[in-house]
Amino acid sequence: MNIRWRAQQISLCGRYSHMRFKEFMARRRFWITVVAGLALIGVVFSAAVVRVRADAAPPASSSTHPRGPGQLTVRAAADSPYTWNRGTTGSLQWMQPDGQAACCAEVRVYDPGTYDSQALESGERITVAGHQAYSATTDVKNLSGAADRVSKMPTVGWQDKSGEWVTVVNIDSVSARKNPGTDLLTGIAKYVEIGAPADVEVPMHFPAVPGALPLKYVNVGDGTATLGFGGDATRTPWPLQVQASAKGSPDMAPSLRGAPNTTVAGRPAYYFEKSGSMRVPAGGSGLAVEIDTCAVQVTVADRTEITRDDLEKMFEGATFDRCD
C-alpha cells in the first residue's frame, strides 16, 4: 500500500499563531508524537501480530466493543474536506484536521467513564450534525495524549451512544482568544463519526520489540508515523520510540546526515549514542535505517536497558511499506 502524507500550511490564525502552532506540532511530532492485549497494529510483538491501519475504515456505527491500544473508534465522515492526523494513547484518541480553515482545532475522544463532562454539560446546549451537544470553556490538557499543562479552552462536545465522549477543542491559546465562539469547532465537529474499533496502519512491521514492551502511543500524520512503547504519557521520551518518514522529510534529515556508519539487516544505517546528527536523549541511543522510500528511526531513552544489539535485532525479518 502507499501512504501519502503532506504537511499543509496553516494560515488562518495569523502569522504569530501559525508559528506557535508549528512549534507545537514539531514538539509533539518528536517526543510526544516524538505515543495491552495487543493484537492487530504495524508491528508484531513476540507471538502477537500488530497492525495499525490509517485507511479503509469500516462504516461508522455505535460500538461497545473494547478498543485495543492501537485502535481508533473515531474517524472522519466520507465528505470531510480535510486530511487528518490521528493517534491514541491510553484512554484518549485524537484527530487533527489539516487545512487553512481548520487551524488549531483538535478532536478528542475519551473511552467510556474516563471524561469528566460536568463543565461541558453546564455550558450552552447546541446541535451538531443533528444530535445534541454542548459548548463551554473547559480544562484541556495540551499536546495530544500528553500529561502537560492544563488550559481553559473553548470546547464543543457530546456523548456518543457507545458511552465515549467526543470533544472538539481549540488547542491554540492565541487563536482561542481571537475566536472564542463555536463556529470553528462546530464546523469541524460535523465531520466526526464514531464507529467500531479499527486499526491504524503504519508502514513498518517488526517481528518483535525489545523486552516485548507494550504499545502505548500511536500518531500518524504530519509526514510521520510514530509509535511509543513502554512508559506512560507522563514520562517522555518513551523508553522506545519508532518513527517512519519519507526519506526526504525534514523529520529525518538530521538523522541521515553524512555517510552511514553501520549496516542493519543489510541496509545502510546510522547509530548514535549522543546528540548530534540524530536527536538522542542523554543516556539513550538512536538508530536510523534507510529502507527504500522510508527512513525508520528508533530512539531509546536508556541504552543500558535497550542495547544496540536489541535495536539491530528488531530489523531482522521486519517488512516495510512505502512512505512516499
Side-chain angles (χ1 to χ4, degrees):
M1 65 162 281
N2 292 341
I3 296 181
R4 297 183 181 273
W5 293 298
R6 68 177 184 274
Q8 301 184 356
Q9 294 297 318
I10 304 173
S11 60
L12 181 64
C13 301
R15 179 176 178 81
Y16 178 64
S17 180
H18 171 61
M19 292 176 64
R20 285 172 54 89
F21 193 68
K22 287 186 70 176
E23 293 171 359
F24 167 87
M25 294 300 291
R27 284 190 298 133
R28 190 182 76 167
R29 275 202 307 270
F30 181 51
W31 283 129
I32 302 297
T33 76
V34 179
V35 350
L38 296 177
L40 292 172
I41 15 184
V43 186
V44 183
F45 294 87
S46 303
V49 176
V50 189
R51 288 207 178 261
V52 184
R53 294 192 59 82
D55 58 355
S61 63
S62 179
S63 172
T64 57
H65 297 294
R67 184 177 64 87
Q71 296 184 318
L72 302 179
T73 59
V74 63
R75 56 188 54 92
D79 60 345
S80 165
Y82 307 111
T83 57
W84 298 79
N85 304 331
R86 302 196 288 167
T88 178
T89 188
S91 61
L92 174 66
Q93 308 170 62
W94 63 83
M95 296 199 310
Q96 277 191 342
D98 280 337
Q100 293 182 351
C103 173
C104 313
E106 180 170 275
V107 178
R108 297 179 176 220
V109 178
Y110 299 84
D111 290 347
T114 63
Y115 179 70
D116 183 355
S117 62
Q118 183 175 356
L120 182 59
E121 290 185 279
S122 67
E124 178 188 1
R125 289 195 176 194
I126 61 174
T127 300
V128 174
H131 55 76
Q132 179 181 299
Y134 303 90
S135 175
T137 297
T138 67
D139 290 338
V140 178
K141 290 184 178 180
N142 290 337
L143 295 177
S144 300
D148 200 31
R149 71 183 185 277
V150 175
S151 301
K152 292 188 178 299
M153 295 294 188
T155 304
V156 165
W158 63 94
Q159 188 171 31
D160 182 72
K161 290 181 292 185
S162 64
E164 295 169 305
W165 271 92
V166 182
T167 64
V168 186
V169 299
N170 191 326
I171 57 175
D172 182 81
S173 57
V174 174
S175 171
R177 288 195 296 270
K178 291 182 177 180
N179 182 15
T182 61
D183 290 349
L184 165 70
L185 304 182
T186 56
I188 299 301
K190 66 183 180 181
Y191 296 114
V192 177
E193 297 179 347
I194 300 296
D199 304 321
V200 181
E201 184 160 306
V202 296
M204 44 194 170
H205 315 284
F206 296 99
V209 297
L213 291 174
L215 180 70
K216 291 298 186 73
Y217 175 89
V218 178
N219 191 72
V220 176
D222 295 348
T224 65
T226 306
L227 305 178
F229 299 89
D232 56 48
T234 65
R235 175 187 174 186
T236 58
W238 299 100
L240 176 69
Q241 176 183 291
V242 184
Q243 181 176 356
S245 297
K247 267 187 186 177
S249 76
D251 288 321
M252 286 300 171
S255 303
L256 305 180
R257 187 175 298 138
N261 60 14
T262 188
T263 59
V264 173
R267 300 178 173 103
Y270 306 73
Y271 178 77
F272 302 91
E273 290 189 347
K274 61 182 179 179
S275 295
S277 296
M278 180 184 290
R279 294 164 291 189
V280 175
S285 65
L287 177 68
V289 183
E290 298 183 61
I291 302 156
D292 300 325
T293 63
C294 298
V296 178
Q297 176 177 303
V298 185
T299 309
V300 170
D302 186 344
R303 63 177 177 266
T304 65
E305 294 182 0
I306 300 176
T307 67
R308 177 176 181 175
D309 186 54
D310 292 331
L311 296 184
E312 294 184 357
K313 285 180 179 178
M314 283 181 60
F315 287 83
E316 296 176 3
T319 60
F320 302 89
D321 300 322
R322 295 182 65 86
C323 291
D324 57 356

